[in-house]
């Protein structure tokens, strides 16, 4: 499955982590999952970090994450509530057969 997206949120009132939901097919039930790069604006990644998304096996959503190259590991990026958030990418993942 290949997905292409360009998303903008404005004045979001929710809380918690950001994710890309409503993907068209359930990901394959295999070990690991899929990581793919994303670009964006208003993503709090720190001075030495990059955004990415992670889709777990057997799921229809991907978590928007950040990797910290200064040794902080990976963590979920919270939804932006004080302004706009932009996300953009294209990615592919394996799906369970219908």
């Amino acid at each position: 499955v290949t997905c292409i997206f360009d998303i903008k949120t404005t004045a979001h009132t929710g809380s918690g982590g950001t994710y890309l939901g409503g993907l068209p097919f359930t990901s394959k039930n295999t070990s690991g999952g899929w990581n793919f790069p994303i670009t964006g604006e208003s993503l709090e990644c720190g001075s030495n970090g990059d955004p990415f998304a992670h889709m777990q096996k057997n799921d229809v959503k991907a978590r928007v994450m950040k990797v910290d190259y200064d040794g902080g590991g990976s963590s979920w990026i919270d939804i932006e509530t004080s302004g706009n958030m932009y996300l953009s990418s294209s990615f592919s993942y394996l799906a369970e057969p219908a």
Side-chain angles (χ1 to χ4, degrees), residues 28-43:
K28 191 164 180 68
N29 191 12
T30 185
S31 63
W34 294 266
N35 289 335
F36 52 90
I38 59 174
T39 59
E41 187 175 307
S42 299
L43 299 175

Side-chain angles (χ1 to χ4, degrees), residues 1-91:
V1 177
T2 298
C3 298
I4 301 168
F5 64 89
D6 189 26
I7 300 170
K8 175 185 177 184
T9 64
T10 304
H12 197 282
T13 58
S15 63
T18 304
Y19 66 92
L20 306 168
L23 296 175
F25 299 99
T26 302
S27 62
K28 191 164 180 68
N29 191 12
T30 185
S31 63
W34 294 266
N35 289 335
F36 52 90
I38 59 174
T39 59
E41 187 175 307
S42 299
L43 299 175
E44 296 297 326
C45 294
S47 61
N48 195 19
D50 285 317
F52 71 98
H54 176 75
M55 186 171 193
Q56 296 179 345
K57 65 182 180 176
N58 205 31
D59 208 346
V60 292
K61 65 184 177 301
R63 294 179 177 180
V64 178
M65 311 282 290
K66 62 184 173 183
V67 62
D68 180 353
Y69 296 114
D70 290 330
S74 298
S75 59
W76 201 333
I77 295 177
D78 287 334
I79 190 76
E80 175 60 51
T81 59
S82 63
N84 298 333
M85 178 185 268
Y86 302 94
L87 301 170
S88 182
S89 185
S90 63
F91 66 97

